[in-house]
Amino acid sequence: KAGVTQTPRYLIKTRGQQVTLSCSPISGHRSVSWYQQTPGQGLQFLFEYFSETQRNKGNFPGRFSGRQFSNSRSEMNVSTLELGDSALYLCASSLETLVNTGELFFGEGSRLTVL
Amino acid sequence: GENVEQHPSTLSVQEGDSAVIKCTYSDSASNYFPWYKQELGKGPQLIIDIRSNVGEKKDQRIAVTLNKTAKHFSLHITETQPEDSAVYFCAASSGGGADGLTFGKGTHLIIQP
C-alpha cells in the first residue's frame, strides 16, 4: 500500500512569491491534515480537510490556505511568502477526522526555503 | 488552547539501558495522546498512543503511562537499540480534536554503543 506522497520535496522561493504544495493521501483515507515544522516552533497544526471540506484550522494567517479534491488529494498554498515561512511542511492522512482522533500517517514533507 | 511541554530536549543513554521521556499538557479536555518517532529526512511515524480512559499501554519494548490528574504522560523504552535513535514527539488532542494535535517540541534520543 503506497504511503502519503508529497510534492515537491524541496523548493526555493523568494519573498513575496507564492507556493503550492501537493499531497496524495493513502488510498481510502479521507482526512488530510497539514503541519508546519520548524526548529523553533516544532510541529504546528495548519488545517484539516475531510471530504473536500475544511474541518479545522490552526492559528496561521490567511496567507495559508488549502483545498481538497474529490479524490482526497490536497493542496496547500502560501501567498506573499515571508522569510519566516521557511519550514518543512508535512501532510498527514487518516481514515477518520481529527475529532475522532484517528492515527495520522505522515508524508516525508516538502522543505520550503524562502530567500 | 492546548499547550504541551516535553522534557528532556536531548537524552543520551547507553545501548541496552532504558529511556524515559515526559510530557505535560494543559487542557483537561484532551483525551488522546500519541507518540511519534521521526528519523532524519522522514515524516513522523506513530509508535504508540493512549486514550484518557486507560492508564498504561505497552507494546513490546515501548510503554506509555498517563496520569490524568497530574496531566502528564510518559514514554518508556526498555532495552534500547541503535535503531531507537531518533527524535520523539508527544502530542495531545485539543478541542476534542477540532484544533488538531498539539505537539511537544521533541526529544532527540541518542543511543550510545
Side-chain angles (χ1 to χ4, degrees):
Chain A
K1 197 175 194 181
V4 176
T5 304
Q6 292 189 245
T7 57
R9 291 292 313 278
Y10 303 92
L11 65 167
I12 300 173
K13 293 285 186 178
T14 56
R15 279 181 299 174
Q17 287 187 312
Q18 72 165 16
V19 66
T20 299
L21 308 177
S22 179
C23 173
S24 293
I26 291 172
S27 177
H29 285 192
R30 295 164 64 191
S31 168
V32 173
S33 305
W34 289 88
Y35 287 81
Q36 181 194 65
Q37 185 174 25
T38 59
Q41 298 299 317
L43 280 153
Q44 293 186 288
F45 173 68
L46 281 157
F47 29 65
E48 182 210 6
Y49 287 86
F50 184 86
S51 295
E52 302 179 66
T53 302
Q54 185 180 89
R55 289 299 182 94
N56 307 299
K57 191 177 192 313
N59 189 26
F60 278 81
R63 300 186 296 108
F64 292 81
S65 63
R67 59 178 176 168
Q68 186 180 34
F69 302 95
S70 58
N71 61 358
S72 293
R73 191 177 70 84
S74 177
E75 289 181 347
M76 68 163 281
N77 183 276
V78 188
S79 62
T80 320
L81 284 167
E82 301 176 359
L83 295 179
D85 297 332
S86 293
L88 180 67
Y89 289 89
L90 290 161
C91 166
S93 75
S94 175
L95 276 171
E96 304 170 5
T97 66
L98 289 175
V99 172
N100 293 325
T101 51
E103 177 181 352
L104 294 181
F105 294 82
F106 283 88
E108 295 190 326
S110 293
R111 183 163 297 282
L112 170 65
T113 301
V114 182
L115 302 177
Chain B
E2 176 66 279
N3 182 49
V4 177
E5 299 282 341
Q6 183 172 348
H7 300 281
S9 56
T10 304
L11 177 60
S12 181
V13 301
Q14 291 294 124
E15 182 179 348
D17 287 350
S18 296
V20 180
I21 302 171
K22 298 182 180 182
C23 289
T24 60
Y25 61 98
S26 61
D27 186 355
S28 56
S30 289
N31 59 2
Y32 176 65
F33 308 92
W35 286 87
Y36 284 84
K37 174 184 180 182
Q38 187 174 26
E39 297 175 339
L40 199 60
K42 297 192 174 182
Q45 181 178 13
L46 180 74
I47 55 171
I48 195 167
D49 58 10
I50 192 168
R51 297 184 187 271
S52 58
N53 58 348
V54 177
E56 184 174 358
K57 185 176 178 180
K58 192 173 181 181
D59 182 5
Q60 299 183 340
R61 297 185 298 108
I62 294 173
V64 57
T65 58
L66 171 65
N67 183 325
K68 284 193 300 180
T69 304
K71 286 191 272 190
H72 68 70
F73 56 114
S74 301
L75 177 71
H76 305 252
I77 305 174
T78 59
E79 301 172 12
T80 52
Q81 301 170 4
E83 54 265 35
D84 294 331
S85 293
V87 179
Y88 291 80
F89 294 94
C90 62
S93 67
S94 46
D99 299 333
L101 284 177
T102 300
F103 284 85
K105 292 288 177 69
T107 295
H108 186 194
L109 177 62
I110 301 165
I111 307 300
Q112 304 278 8

